[in-house]
Amino acid sequence: MKKKPFKVVIVILNYMNYQETISCVNSALSQKGTEFKIVVVDNGSTNESYKIIMERYCNNRQVRVLRSKENLGFAKGNNLGIKFAKEKLKADFILLLNSDTIVTDEYYISKMISNYDESVGVIGSEIILRNKKAQKPYCEYVEFPAILLYYLKIFNELYGWNIFENQIDKLLKKYK
């Protein structure tokens, strides 16, 4: 029995920069090897961005354009697209792209999905900068206890607590 393909949705946040967003969308549309939809969220642009993007993709069944009446900020703007992807498009996977991203590997999405493992909550990839150098990864794989200990250490320092201070440092070394 053939496995049902995953539903993939790419969310791209636009704010006042339709040229950049159109370049990003067009690069994403070149993807091969998997089916996907694109949701562009115009985050309250006060210029012609929404109108131009809407006109550009109004006949493309792969692209949906949403509009926020106000600038919700980066996280809430993305959350608007994520909510639409989950509730309306029933996405199994959501790929967030900054509007200044150009996807150069035409099998990028299918490669990401092929590395899917149920024990993983978020998959990221290498980011290549304009100068062709790889961006240094922000975070390596960490286990839940390490995250909890890290935040306890921050609160200890922030509030001047001395709760389990030596034990936290010892346990953190175990997870490094």
Side-chain angles (χ1 to χ4, degrees), residues 97-151:
L97 291 180
N98 287 348
S99 62
D100 64 346
T101 301
I102 301 297
V103 184
T104 57
D105 182 344
E106 60 189 15
Y107 291 96
Y108 178 77
I109 295 173
S110 59
K111 287 177 183 178
M112 294 279 279
I113 291 172
S114 71
N115 287 302
Y116 171 67
D117 180 321
E118 288 182 8
S119 67
V120 175
V122 176
I123 298 174
S125 64
E126 185 174 56
I127 298 171
I128 306 299
L129 303 172
R130 290 176 195 229
N131 64 6
K132 308 291 186 216
K133 293 185 179 183
Q135 180 175 313
K136 185 178 176 194
Y138 173 70
C139 183
E140 298 294 327
Y141 176 79
V142 293
E143 295 179 21
F144 175 74
I147 294 170
L148 179 62
L149 290 168
Y150 175 74
Y151 280 108

Side-chain angles (χ1 to χ4, degrees), residues 142-161:
V142 293
E143 295 179 21
F144 175 74
I147 294 170
L148 179 62
L149 290 168
Y150 175 74
Y151 280 108
L152 280 173
K153 183 173 178 67
I154 289 173
F155 282 118
N156 269 346
E157 292 169 4
L158 189 63
Y159 295 109
W161 299 345

